[in-house]
Amino acid sequence: MSLKYAVLAALLEGEASGYELSKVFDVSLANFWAATPQQLYRELERLAGEGLIEARVVRQERRPDKRMFTLTEQGRRDLDTFAATPPRRPTAIRDELLIKIQAMDGADPASTRALVEEREAWARGKLARYRRVRERLLAGRGEEEYLREAGRVGPYLTLLAGIALEEENLRWCARVRTVLDQRASRDERQRPPAQGSTR
């Protein structure tokens, strides 16, 4: 999938500038589709050229003019077709940390533990951010009420996927740390006593 459909889907929320869209990507779409601001601006230009979005210039005093983007009818039809088409293949994980864990047996256990703790901190931070977004979407309503009454539920459902992923990351990190601790304890017990020891 290209960045194209992530941008079109983000514009379902309404008219937005490139800067506003980059914030949407950072907060709402980051759990399943990442993009740099440069990639985003290039994609906006391409989509406007294809007639899938349109731009209008908003004049600003003391600041550069900004362009506001909206979906066109053609863009909405293209997005609807995409949404109804099965994915070409299931999601595949590509995670450098997992390669390091796969190869960790000859590495320094303290280094491996530090990598896992770094991932854990990252997951905890993302999870906290996603939960704040969830509370903002719910705005005091219960989840069932929100899902029954909200105009659009897609952003909430994708947010739930991000929350579930980071919760699973935290469970996995805790399990890895437990295994590392158990192995370190075993290695300590199996280490021969130092020379001159009275044990």
Side-chain angles (χ1 to χ4, degrees):
M1 189 192 95
S2 70
L3 179 57
K4 165 184 176 179
Y5 292 109
V7 173
L8 295 179
L11 284 170
L12 285 171
E13 300 297 325
E15 185 180 52
S17 67
Y19 175 78
E20 290 164 343
L21 281 173
S22 71
K23 294 299 171 196
V24 169
F25 268 75
D26 189 44
V27 173
S28 301
L29 280 75
N31 69 74
F32 62 92
W33 200 265
T36 66
Q38 293 82 5
Q39 291 171 320
L40 191 56
Y41 282 106
R42 280 196 303 269
E43 191 64 24
L44 286 167
E45 292 303 322
R46 196 176 69 75
L47 294 174
E50 291 178 10
L52 300 176
I53 62 174
E54 59 187 13
R56 70 181 180 93
V57 176
V58 175
R59 305 276 178 220
Q60 300 187 106
E61 289 186 29
R62 297 193 206 103
R63 302 176 88 182
D65 295 345
K66 68 177 177 180
R67 294 175 73 200
M68 300 296 290
F69 298 91
T70 54
L71 270 178
T72 62
E73 282 305 312
Q74 180 185 346
R76 193 172 293 270
R77 284 193 305 272
D78 195 346
L79 185 58
D80 289 345
T81 301
F82 168 77
T85 305
R88 288 193 300 257
R89 59 184 173 272
T91 299
I93 297 174
R94 291 179 58 150
D95 189 330
E96 185 180 341
L97 177 61
L98 294 183
I99 297 172
K100 293 175 186 291
I101 296 298
Q102 176 82 3
M104 75 177 198
D105 292 306
D108 172 26
S111 297
T112 302
R113 185 182 178 91
L115 293 173
V116 173
E117 288 172 347
E118 181 181 43
R119 172 62 58 87
E120 202 167 20
W122 180 257
R124 207 172 273 117
K126 287 172 71 176
L127 185 57
R129 189 171 70 193
Y130 295 161
R131 286 177 172 160
R132 285 193 299 272
V133 172
R134 179 177 182 267
E135 291 308 309
R136 192 168 65 242
L137 286 174
L138 291 176
R141 293 173 285 187
E143 184 174 85
E144 292 307 314
E145 179 186 358
Y146 176 84
L147 293 173
R148 195 172 50 248
E149 297 174 359
R152 295 187 61 234
V153 297
Y156 187 81
L157 296 175
T158 55
L159 181 63
L160 290 182
I163 289 171
L165 175 63
E166 297 311 331
E167 287 174 341
E168 184 53 39
N169 270 330
L170 289 174
R171 279 191 290 274
W172 177 79
C173 287
R175 177 69 176 136
V176 173
R177 282 190 295 99
T178 298
V179 170
L180 291 173
D181 291 346
Q182 289 169 344
R183 290 177 67 84
S185 178
R186 180 205 65 190
D187 292 348
E188 183 64 33
R189 287 192 308 273
Q190 291 177 351
R191 188 172 294 128
Q195 284 190 340
S197 172
T198 56
R199 288 195 304 170

